[in-house]
């Protein structure tokens, strides 16, 4: 039979479902339920999925807020691009800009202190990945993502962009200090 001809039985779809198919539907449905309940489970008991808040914000406004923090709390500059290293007071709001293809500024945080970490992009979508910790956050233009963090390890951490954002994506790396 070719698809050009009508099916032999006109009401071809109105047949009892085969037993094997029923079993596959049951298995697929059960697995979907497992995945569904794993989402809240990992949010509460996993370490990767942080609770974030999101607010609408324009790129200009976000840049202004970040600049204000940088003007106030820069302690030195690093790298060939003279990126400011900012040491904001413990417990304060800290801002990080993602843009093609860099992170700005470099944050220096204190061990065991709570911070409100703000993230936003000035252009396209980027991904905030903190290495070697398992922290992943989407950085979306037009939105300010806020996570409450308490650094619990000393050292220098790498920040890499894990959302493909164009030709310089692999160069979009930075660092964060905790001491
Ligand atoms: Cu930014 Cu990839």
């Amino acid at each position: 039979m070719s698809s050009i001809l009508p099916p032999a039985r006109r009401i071809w779809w109105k047949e009892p479902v085969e037993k094997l198919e029923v079993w596959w539907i049951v298995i697929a449905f059960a697995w979907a339920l497992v995945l569904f309940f794993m989402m809240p489970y990992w949010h509460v008991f996993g370490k990767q999925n942080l609770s974030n808040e999101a607010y609408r914000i324009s790129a200009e406004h976000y840049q202004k807020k970040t600049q204000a923090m940088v003007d106030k709390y820069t302690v030195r500059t690093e790298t060939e691009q003279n990126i400011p290293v900012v040491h904001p007071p413990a417990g304060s709001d800290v801002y990080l800009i993602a843009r093609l293809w860099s992170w700005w500024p470099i944050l220096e945080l204190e061990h065991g202190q709570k911070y409100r970490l703000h993230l936003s992009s000035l252009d396209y979508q980027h991904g905030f990945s903190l290495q070697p910790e398992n922290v992943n956050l989407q950085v979306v233009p037009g939105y300010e993502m806020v996570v409450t963090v308490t650094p619990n390890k000393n050292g220098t951490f790498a920040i890499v962009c894990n959302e493909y954002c164009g030709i310089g994506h692999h160069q979009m790396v930075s660092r964060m200090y905790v001491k």
Side-chain angles (χ1 to χ4, degrees), residues 84-102:
V85 178
V86 181
H87 190 125
S92 67
D93 287 81
V94 298
Y95 299 85
L96 187 61
I97 285 175
R99 63 184 162 205
L100 300 174
W101 285 283
S102 63

Side-chain angles (χ1 to χ4, degrees), residues 98-103 123-127 160-166 168-172:
R99 63 184 162 205
L100 300 174
W101 285 283
S102 63
W103 300 94
D123 37 50
Y124 302 102
Q125 186 167 352
H126 300 281
V160 302
C161 179
N162 63 0
E163 198 73 53
Y164 183 69
C165 56
H169 165 68
H170 63 287
Q171 293 168 322
M172 195 167 162

Side-chain angles (χ1 to χ4, degrees), residues 58-174:
S58 71
E60 296 75 40
H61 189 195
Y62 188 75
Q63 196 165 17
K64 241 182 228 166
K65 290 210 284 184
T66 311
Q67 188 68 53
M69 173 197 71
V70 169
D71 291 343
K72 242 176 162 173
Y73 303 118
T74 296
V75 287
R76 61 182 184 277
T77 60
E78 282 184 6
T79 75
E80 283 162 27
Q81 293 86 41
N82 288 322
I83 299 175
V85 178
V86 181
H87 190 125
S92 67
D93 287 81
V94 298
Y95 299 85
L96 187 61
I97 285 175
R99 63 184 162 205
L100 300 174
W101 285 283
S102 63
W103 300 94
W104 193 89
I106 295 170
L107 297 171
E108 189 175 79
L109 306 179
E110 287 168 35
H111 184 138
Q113 300 291 339
K114 205 184 246 184
Y115 296 89
R116 301 253 305 154
L117 173 63
H118 298 241
L119 292 161
S120 191
S121 164
L122 301 189
D123 37 50
Y124 302 102
Q125 186 167 352
H126 300 281
F128 173 90
S129 174
L130 191 69
Q131 303 289 336
E133 299 306 299
N134 195 9
V135 172
N136 275 288
L137 295 160
Q138 302 263 320
V139 187
V140 185
Y143 286 92
E144 182 175 18
M145 312 291 279
V146 190
V147 280
T148 304
V149 293
T150 307
N152 58 2
K153 277 184 205 164
N154 286 346
T156 305
F157 298 87
I159 298 170
V160 302
C161 179
N162 63 0
E163 198 73 53
Y164 183 69
C165 56
I167 196 94
H169 165 68
H170 63 287
Q171 293 168 322
M172 195 167 162
V173 291
S174 184

Side-chain angles (χ1 to χ4, degrees), residues 1-7:
M1 187 179 86
S2 86
S3 57
I4 306 170
L5 299 169

